[in-house]
Amino acid sequence: MAVWLLKRFFPDKTGLYTQLGDIDEAFNTIAKRKGNFAAQAWYWIMAIRSIPYSILRILAWSSTMMRNYLKIALRNMRKYKTGSFINVAGLSLGLAFCVLIYLFISDELSFDRFHEKADSIYSIVINDHFYEYSHRHGPVPLAPVLKDHFPEIESFARLVREINVPVKYNDNIFNERICMADPEFLEIFSFRPKKGNPGSALHSDSSVVLTQNTANKYFGNEDPIGKVLLFTFGEKQKPFVVDGIMENVPSNSSINFSILINIDNLNFIYSSNSIDDWRGRSAQSYLLLKKQADPAHIENRMLGIVKPYRSAFYETRRNYGSLVKSGETITYSLQNLKDIHLNSSNIAGLPRSDIRRSYILGAIALLILLIAVINFINMSIGRASLRAREVSVRKMLGAGRKQLVHQFWIESVCTALISIVLGLCIAVLMLPIFNTLSIKNLTVYSLFHLNSIVVFLLLIVAVGILAGSFPALVMANFNLTDVLRGKFKLRRKNLFTKILIILQFSISIFLLVASIIMSRQIRFLKNYDLGFDKEGILIVDLQERHNTRSQELFKLFKESLQSHTAVKSVSGCMSSPNRTDVYGMIDNQGKKIYVYENRVHYDYLKTMKINLIEGRDFSSAFSSDISSVIVNQKLVDVLGLEQPIGKTIKIGPEPPLTIIGVVKNFHYSSLKEEVKPAALNMDPTLGLFYAVVRISAANIGETITDLKERWEEIQSVRPFEYSFLDDDIQLFYTDENRWNAIVGYSSFFTILIACMGVFGLTLITVNNRVKEIGIRKILGASLLSILKLVTSEFVILVLIANIIVWPLAWAVMNKWLQNFAFRVDFGIWPLLIPGIITALIALLTSCGYSLKAAIANPADSLRYE
Amino acid sequence: MKLLSRTEELLLNSILRLEENAYAFMIREKLKEITGKTWAFGAIFISLDRLEKKRYVESFLGNETPERGGRRKRFYKVTSYGLKTLAEIRKIDQAMWKDLPVYLLEKE
């Protein structure tokens, strides 16, 4: 080893290593005198001592060369402005994408890592084997029971959410989503306190902890500590004193809260002992395990511990029917906090993401970068003839292959360096668009994080070396004498360049095809006949979940709207697309059929414009309608009923209902799913959650203000909260819309960069063939034939790329369409159009410059020899 | 005439003394004998190269010997130019020290 080091650092030109011989002799003398070990130690010390100086020497020499390389690189950049511009522009766009997507991915990966104890925090996952899904909302008493039985559990925190709680301070009322938590919540998780004493505040059941943003919302610039907020829970009200302010929850946290109160308030809001209720599916439970604890050990024994408690509770409430049935199939598992964000594809309950998203985005960014790098390579190879002389002179003066390669690396790293500076600027400018597309809250600051800087530097070096290697190898192989004798001729664009161009266009065409098919599918979904008229419908959230009170509130609201001219019809319902879904189960001779259940009010069919096929709508003329049901065609088909009207069906444990009407199928869920069997019933003793208002299309803004006024007249605690039904339905496809935009943007940029490459190459080809073109003109070639000469090559390459991409794009997009139950039949056009577009663009870009050459007077181009 | 550095002077001196046996290892031993210090090989190699470049010494290869791991020795010999320079140095040295009263050196 040491011998190798010395050899490496003391190159002996004679190759005889006489110096090493001397050292060996000294080694042997020392060995004889002081023993082998001392000799070896000496040898090593010598070897190691030699390192710093050697490195210094290498640096000193190479920096001299480096200066020269840099100078040449900059001169070249200045000399070939267009080419350098194309390189830098392409690379900086590609790098900008990479930067943004790096930010995205690092944000994804940073989720929940900021908690100091993240490694030992586990979330309890509830696996319901009856309804076959997993979620995080377990019974409230679960965590305390586990803590009593497992000494490995250091502490636990439960989080119960209560939505639609009107909170009032002076004239400010907002509808809030509050969290009830154990006092340990703030100790287990590392959310940062800001003001007051949030830690101790949670111990009292009349204190509230707010985040900074929430505090600002209510109190503006006033000091929030000690202020009193009035909470309304149903018909109860309770004042809370603000005792602590937390920093806003970081955007990379899975757990989110804005208002925290003590969990004992559950007993105040609901019945007195709801905190011991095993039925509820409301508490997210988190366990903090001791350092050496084995989660698998707890996981395996959890069910056994919990079962007796659970059964004892159910024993007292046998009448809960299906809830007990499902409750008894439940098993529990643990999931580490850090896995929640990316590893919960089948666990409901917290916002989650998919690691595939990061992969796809990363792949897109790298593809764009690849296209830019290909431009760089092609341009360098194309320009090789111009630089052949320089390279040859260098070679003649003794530059080795290695040194030439180094030179080109340095040139490309230089370009990459300039590009990343520009790329960062572009990234900063595009950050707002990117944030909306990726629903992230990325800031410019994360760009200057140490990690990011290291990644960017690595990126520069990688891009530089990748882009510099091919041209370097081409040039290093020049035949010296040929070039200097002026015999050198660049072979026409070689196969390698052609393959690279095909690759570039394949990528661009693929993305273009993908974005066209995506937007077609989205338009198809938008225009699909859902079985009801989604335009002009306003969904007003009644924010009252209590059965009779909500019915009363609805009636008041409906009456107040009766006189309004713009309101065409009003009804109410319990579930509405993308808001709440309730499913019941019909037991059809042992086969479970899940039925979408909706509790509605009179005029629902009329308001929604759902068409009756047979039978009648609910009507106040029939008092028996409380036990009637209207079903959709699908349910009739599934049950195989021939004469549905008058038949009875039994949904879940409820009493049987008589079918009075059959309606056309309607799609209340996303069109990714098949239409579901549905049943509408009407029970005035049970709750309505939303008012459905059909308004006329004119003066919508004014109508909404009127509705708001009327809403405020009939009650004073709840703010007016509404949405348009078609917006709610569009929300099903947010993800698709977002992906469509992302793919659209990237296809635009890939085509842009690829075309810049084509332009650059035309420039070079034309310049190389100026004389040829001149001679052709003299011999009578027409303008068109000259254009054809230069451009046909590119067009052919683009067409080849098309043919390669079609089957691939077709297969991939069909796979994507499999996500949807209702698919657009995209036919051949989405494949043809991008082909034609790209071919045309390539043609036009290359025509632009060749036209100039073709028009030029041949006398000019031929004169100078 | 050029003045030699002290190191170069010492090296030339020891090469002369070693006569036929002047190669790096022995030079190092000789230097140790004269100066009482262990010299780093690096210092010796570099100075030898420099002396050769300035033509004070010339070198030739010897035979392989087993105790050197099969590597050959590079012997050094002072050239006539080197000898001339050394002689001049010696004259200057003697002149320099001749009249210097000893008490001046012992003052401190």
Side-chain angles (χ1 to χ4, degrees):
Chain A
M1 171 67 191
V3 177
W4 173 83
L5 256 180
L6 286 177
K7 273 190 184 169
R8 178 87 188 75
F9 287 129
F10 297 105
D12 190 332
K13 277 177 197 109
T14 56
L16 294 170
Y17 298 109
T18 54
Q19 299 183 337
L20 271 185
D22 284 317
I23 292 169
D24 269 14
E25 206 174 327
F27 177 86
N28 286 334
T29 328
I30 295 176
K32 239 175 270 161
R33 231 180 286 156
K34 294 182 191 165
N36 215 4
F37 180 75
Q40 255 165 9
W42 168 81
Y43 206 117
W44 268 108
I45 290 170
M46 266 198 23
I48 289 166
R49 256 193 1 209
S50 70
I51 294 173
Y53 180 74
S54 314
I55 290 177
L56 212 68
R57 205 178 49 174
I58 291 169
L59 280 183
W61 280 108
S62 53
S63 79
T64 319
M65 271 329 268
M66 190 85 89
R67 270 211 302 278
N68 178 279
Y69 292 157
L70 276 177
K71 197 185 270 175
I72 298 292
L74 290 176
R75 275 183 198 162
N76 265 319
M77 259 183 228
R78 269 205 296 267
K79 195 167 166 195
Y80 306 111
K81 284 202 187 71
T82 331
S84 313
F85 172 77
I86 289 171
N87 282 340
V88 169
L91 280 180
S92 47
L93 279 176
L95 286 170
F97 263 85
C98 284
V99 164
L100 287 176
I101 280 155
Y102 164 77
L103 286 186
F104 176 87
I105 294 174
S106 61
D107 186 71
E108 286 280 280
L109 294 180
S110 75
F111 253 76
D112 298 323
R113 306 282 150 127
F114 63 91
H115 297 294
E116 280 156 31
K117 301 171 191 160
D119 285 323
S120 353
I121 303 177
Y122 287 84
S123 155
I124 300 183
V125 178
I126 316 290
N127 306 303
D128 188 328
H129 298 282
F130 186 77
Y131 289 112
E132 285 161 5
Y133 83 121
S134 298
H135 56 98
R136 286 178 210 283
H137 294 108
V140 183
L142 178 60
V145 164
L146 293 176
K147 164 101 167 82
D148 287 345
H149 285 82
F150 292 103
E152 301 99 300
I153 299 178
E154 174 107 27
S155 60
F156 64 85
R158 293 164 294 176
L159 208 56
V160 182
R161 286 171 204 280
E162 186 72 19
I163 54 165
N164 283 327
V165 177
V167 174
K168 191 174 166 182
Y169 174 74
N170 291 347
D171 288 336
N172 288 341
I173 311 181
F174 297 100
N175 223 347
E176 296 286 0
R177 192 183 150 96
I178 60 164
C179 288
M180 284 170 272
D182 285 299
E184 288 80 9
F185 177 73
L186 293 177
E187 288 159 26
I188 293 178
F189 295 100
S190 314
F191 295 112
R192 298 222 311 276
K194 176 136 193 198
K195 225 184 209 176
N197 203 340
S200 68
L202 269 189
H203 284 278
S204 146
D205 64 2
S206 58
S207 302
V208 60
V209 175
L210 306 177
T211 57
Q212 185 61 49
N213 274 353
T214 323
N216 291 346
K217 190 165 83 175
Y218 284 97
F219 309 111
N221 295 327
E222 297 172 50
D223 180 16
I225 303 292
K227 295 272 187 337
V228 177
L229 290 173
L230 188 65
F231 287 47
T232 309
F233 304 104
E235 46 186 17
K236 296 177 194 166
Q237 290 196 316
K238 181 172 174 178
F240 284 87
V241 183
V242 180
D243 263 353
I245 303 295
M246 302 291 290
E247 292 278 8
N248 292 324
V249 178
S251 56
N252 58 353
S253 168
S254 295
I255 300 164
N256 206 339
F257 62 86
S258 54
I259 298 182
L260 281 178
I261 58 175
N262 186 294
I263 194 164
D264 291 333
N265 285 299
L266 265 179
N267 283 343
F268 170 78
I269 302 173
Y270 298 102
S271 57
S272 56
N273 50 7
S274 49
I275 206 155
D276 299 318
D277 195 334
W278 278 90
R279 242 173 342 145
R281 295 173 179 169
S282 52
Q284 292 173 21
S285 310
Y286 299 92
L287 304 178
L288 175 63
L289 303 191
K290 287 187 178 144
K291 277 267 149 51
Q292 294 83 16
D294 176 18
H297 175 250
I298 301 181
E299 206 167 21
N300 294 336
R301 289 172 49 210
M302 243 154 86
L303 187 64
I305 300 287
V306 173
K307 234 176 182 163
Y309 292 87
R310 202 167 73 181
S311 310
F313 178 84
Y314 284 139
E315 214 44 60
T316 60
R317 337 227 157 167
R318 268 294 156 205
N319 53 341
Y320 280 111
S322 73
L323 201 57
V324 175
K325 261 196 225 155
S326 89
E328 284 178 342
T329 67
I330 284 173
T331 60
Y332 306 97
S333 52
L334 294 178
Q335 186 185 31
N336 186 272
L337 184 66
K338 294 192 295 190
D339 292 332
I340 289 180
H341 184 63
L342 290 173
N343 226 339
S344 308
S345 51
N346 47 2
I347 307 171
L350 286 176
R352 60 223 147 130
S353 181
D354 192 339
I355 189 81
R356 278 179 304 178
R357 217 181 274 235
S358 304
Y359 288 148
I360 296 176
L361 281 175
I364 291 180
L366 288 181
L367 286 180
I368 296 180
L369 191 62
L370 180 67
I371 292 183
V373 168
I374 289 177
N375 270 354
F376 188 94
I377 294 173
N378 279 347
M379 304 269 290
S380 305
I381 294 178
R383 262 198 328 233
S385 59
L386 298 171
R387 303 214 30 201
R389 219 155 268 172
E390 178 203 334
V391 172
S392 309
V393 171
R394 270 181 196 278
K395 266 188 165 176
M396 213 169 61
L397 294 176
R401 208 187 155 83
K402 213 163 149 196
Q403 276 165 304
L404 284 175
V405 172
H406 281 179
Q407 188 196 344
F408 283 99
W409 277 350
I410 285 166
E411 279 185 21
S412 50
V413 168
C414 226
T415 318
L417 201 69
I418 298 173
S419 309
I420 203 157
V421 173
L422 277 174
L424 282 175
C425 297
I426 297 175
V428 169
L429 291 178
M430 295 203 314
L431 205 57
I433 304 175
F434 186 73
N435 271 337
T436 40
L437 284 180
S438 62
I439 15 169
K440 288 261 175 224
N441 216 349
L442 304 172
T443 53
V444 186
Y445 302 110
S446 30
L447 284 177
F448 302 105
H449 208 258
L450 184 65
N451 284 349
S452 329
I453 290 169
V454 171
V455 169
F456 298 157
L457 285 179
L458 284 177
L459 206 60
I460 294 174
V461 172
V463 166
I465 286 179
L466 191 65
S469 292
F470 293 101
L473 288 178
V474 170
M475 301 231 192
N477 287 334
F478 282 160
N479 187 335
L480 194 63
T481 40
D482 277 0
V483 176
L484 288 179
R485 276 161 62 202
K487 263 173 98 184
F488 175 80
K489 247 196 276 159
L490 181 74
R491 283 156 295 151
R492 290 256 225 91
K493 253 167 272 70
N494 50 29
L495 191 66
F496 182 60
T497 313
K498 281 180 186 165
I499 292 174
L500 289 181
I501 296 177
I502 292 178
L503 183 63
Q504 279 186 315
F505 276 94
S506 305
I507 296 170
S508 335
I509 294 167
F510 177 80
L511 288 172
L512 194 59
V513 170
S515 81
I516 289 181
I517 294 181
M518 278 175 141
S519 59
R520 281 205 166 202
Q521 170 70 7
I522 287 168
R523 209 167 54 216
F524 170 79
L525 295 176
K526 217 172 186 168
N527 298 334
Y528 192 83
D529 178 15
L530 297 173
F532 57 90
D533 184 4
K534 63 182 183 200
E535 308 294 331
I537 286 202
L538 214 58
I539 304 286
V540 180
D541 192 342
L542 297 173
Q543 301 154 50
E544 172 60 78
R545 297 295 179 257
H546 186 269
N547 293 343
T548 45
R549 282 202 302 272
S550 70
Q551 290 275 358
E552 278 160 25
L553 185 63
F554 171 71
K555 260 176 226 149
L556 275 175
F557 188 50
K558 184 172 182 174
E559 273 159 28
S560 75
L561 296 183
Q562 222 82 58
S563 58
H564 200 287
T565 46
V567 175
K568 289 179 178 165
S569 137
V570 184
S571 183
C573 62
M574 182 184 66
S575 48
S576 171
N578 225 340
R579 284 174 167 264
T580 39
D581 276 344
V582 180
Y583 286 92
M585 196 196 66
I586 296 181
D587 192 352
N588 186 25
Q589 286 135 23
K591 223 179 106 205
K592 287 185 218 168
I593 298 171
Y594 292 101
V595 183
Y596 172 81
E597 262 190 295
N598 197 358
R599 192 178 309 125
V600 299
H601 206 258
Y602 295 118
D603 293 340
Y604 187 72
L605 298 185
K606 182 181 140 207
T607 313
M608 294 292 286
K609 293 194 180 159
I610 297 176
N611 290 337
L612 265 173
I613 299 176
E614 43 183 326
R616 60 170 179 87
D617 193 359
F618 297 114
S619 153
S620 43
F622 296 85
S623 58
S624 63
D625 271 358
I626 188 166
S627 57
S628 301
V629 65
I630 294 176
V631 299
N632 68 353
Q633 186 61 45
K634 175 88 177 181
L635 184 59
V636 174
D637 294 345
V638 169
L639 291 177
L641 300 176
E642 303 216 331
Q643 286 287 320
I645 305 295
K647 294 264 165 55
T648 58
I649 53 172
K650 187 167 154 43
I651 302 177
E654 320 291 335
L657 302 167
T658 315
I659 300 175
I660 56 163
V662 178
V663 291
K664 242 176 78 180
N665 286 339
F666 52 88
H667 295 270
Y668 267 18
S669 50
S670 133
L671 288 175
K672 284 177 206 164
E673 295 155 36
E674 289 290 347
V675 67
K676 297 194 175 95
L680 308 176
N681 65 349
M682 208 198 73
D683 187 343
T685 62
L686 295 174
L688 288 177
F689 294 174
Y690 306 101
V692 184
V693 186
R694 180 170 288 282
I695 55 177
S696 64
N699 292 333
I700 290 178
E702 218 172 276
T703 315
I704 288 172
T705 336
D706 286 351
L707 292 191
K708 184 168 189 272
E709 272 167 26
R710 297 189 184 198
W711 173 259
E712 279 159 1
E713 274 166 26
I714 59 166
Q715 53 78 48
S716 59
V717 258
R718 300 177 187 83
F720 183 62
E721 294 211 336
Y722 70 95
S723 63
F724 289 99
L725 183 60
D726 49 348
D727 291 344
D728 283 355
I729 287 172
Q730 264 309 301
L731 284 179
F732 282 130
Y733 312 114
T734 357
D735 231 33
E736 281 70 27
N737 275 322
R738 203 174 307 128
W739 277 110
N740 189 21
I742 289 175
V743 174
Y745 275 108
S746 9
S747 69
F748 171 74
F749 282 114
T750 47
I751 291 175
L752 184 70
I753 299 173
C755 283
M756 290 199 299
V758 166
F759 181 76
L761 280 181
T762 324
L763 208 74
I764 292 163
T765 331
V766 169
N767 282 343
N768 283 343
R769 297 168 81 179
V770 165
K771 276 179 214 158
E772 184 193 333
I773 292 172
I775 291 168
R776 275 172 195 270
K777 273 194 90 168
I778 290 172
L779 296 177
S782 70
L783 185 71
L784 214 61
S785 67
I786 287 172
L787 280 185
K788 214 172 88 187
L789 182 76
V790 186
T791 56
S792 59
E793 204 175 356
F794 291 113
V795 175
I796 288 169
L797 291 179
V798 172
L799 290 179
I800 295 176
N802 265 304
I803 290 163
I804 294 175
V805 162
W806 283 343
L808 185 72
W810 190 82
V812 171
M813 289 323 286
N814 260 324
K815 182 106 194 0
W816 181 75
L817 285 174
Q818 295 302 317
N819 286 333
F820 300 89
F822 298 88
R823 299 184 278 270
V824 67
D825 179 19
F826 59 80
I828 193 76
W829 286 110
L831 295 178
L832 283 181
I833 292 172
I836 296 168
I837 291 178
T838 41
L840 267 180
I841 295 178
L843 185 72
L844 286 178
T845 33
S846 65
C847 264
Y849 193 80
S850 13
L851 199 62
K852 201 176 137 199
I855 294 172
N857 186 349
D860 291 334
S861 55
L862 290 174
R863 190 160 50 191
Y864 75 99
E865 225 168 62
Chain B
M1 186 217 89
K2 278 174 193 162
L3 285 175
L4 289 171
S5 81
R6 199 83 210 174
T7 316
E8 288 166 335
E9 201 184 323
L10 277 167
L11 272 169
L12 283 179
N13 198 302
S14 39
I15 292 172
L16 266 185
R17 279 166 197 259
L18 283 166
E19 297 179 25
E20 297 301 300
N21 206 18
Y23 65 97
F25 176 72
M26 290 309 288
I27 294 170
R28 182 165 175 263
E29 298 289 294
K30 186 58 87 184
L31 284 173
K32 196 176 172 185
E33 200 183 300
I34 299 173
T35 60
K37 281 177 195 153
T38 312
W39 285 52
F41 270 112
I44 296 171
F45 290 145
I46 288 171
S47 307
L48 280 175
D49 279 354
R50 197 179 299 139
L51 281 176
E52 202 176 352
K53 220 182 199 170
K54 293 180 182 167
R55 309 205 185 220
Y56 292 116
V57 297
E58 52 192 18
S59 72
F60 51 93
L61 290 172
N63 293 326
E64 298 165 16
T65 42
E67 75 267 24
R68 293 167 60 85
R71 290 171 186 112
R72 304 220 263 174
K73 291 172 184 169
R74 181 176 288 277
F75 289 105
Y76 292 88
K77 204 179 140 213
V78 183
T79 57
S80 53
Y81 173 56
L83 282 175
K84 208 175 91 196
T85 318
L86 262 186
E88 266 177 52
I89 297 246
R90 184 161 176 268
K91 227 163 78 191
I92 294 169
D93 263 12
Q94 280 174 349
M96 180 168 72
W97 293 107
K98 201 170 69 186
D99 299 333
L100 191 79
V102 178
Y103 70 90
L104 283 177
L105 285 170
E106 289 167 350
K107 204 162 184 184
E108 315 253 330

